[in-house]
Every structure is written in structure tokens, then in C-alpha cells.
Amino acid sequence: MAAGPPPPLDPPVLPAFGDEGFADKFLRKTRENPLVPFGCLCTVGVLTYGLISFKKGNTRRSQLMMRARILAQGFTFAALLGGMVVTALKSK
């Protein structure tokens, strides 16, 4: 087998975002994976409703909301994982 030239030693060029502030980064990340913020909002909403039910003494609804919170957190985690996989496959 003939030996070819050695591979280049230069690091890959990464995208430069410059002076990107928190709001700009948040909007960019939300556009890249919109299901994660949606899942976070659902989790917070269900948690808040469950805490209000607990405070009012409605233990049955409070327990139901805590179980729904676990499902919302699972959805958020799955969306985060899915976004990471899509980003990894897109970069190849």
C-alpha cells in the first residue's frame, strides 16, 4: 500500500458566536431544540398546580399532579437527549 500524505494537524473550524449575550444564546438554543423549553414550562406548570392543590388540601389531585410532573420531566429529558442526537448527526 502506498502511503499518502499525513492528515492535517489544524483543528476544525468552530462557529464563532462573538459577543453573544444570554438572551441571544437562549433564543438560538430554543430555535435549535424548541421541545426542551416547552417541556420545562409544562413541568413548572404541573408542579405549580400540584403545590396549589396540596396547599388547598386536595391530596388526591396533588398526588396526580406530582405523577404528571414526573412524566413532564421525562418528556423534557427525552427532548434534550433527542436534540443532542440530532445535533451530533447533523455535525457529521
Side-chain angles (χ1 to χ4, degrees):
M1 287 181 43
L9 297 177
D10 297 331
V13 177
L14 298 175
F17 294 108
D19 295 327
E20 185 178 41
F22 176 77
D24 296 330
K25 184 175 182 178
F26 180 77
L27 289 174
R28 179 176 54 85
K29 292 287 188 177
T30 301
R31 279 188 221 107
E32 288 175 6
N33 194 357
L35 293 179
V36 173
F38 175 73
C40 291
L41 287 174
C42 287
T43 302
V44 169
V46 170
L47 176 64
T48 303
Y49 188 62
L51 290 174
I52 290 170
S53 297
F54 180 73
K55 186 177 180 184
K56 289 182 178 180
N58 191 348
T59 56
R60 182 168 169 77
R61 176 152 301 160
S62 175
Q63 284 293 317
L64 183 66
M65 289 299 106
M66 291 304 114
R67 291 180 184 140
R69 176 186 58 89
I70 298 299
L71 291 175
Q73 282 179 303
F75 171 78
T76 304
F77 183 72
L80 183 64
L81 226 55
M84 289 172 48
V85 168
V86 168
T87 302
L89 293 176
K90 194 187 305 183
S91 67
K92 286 185 178 184

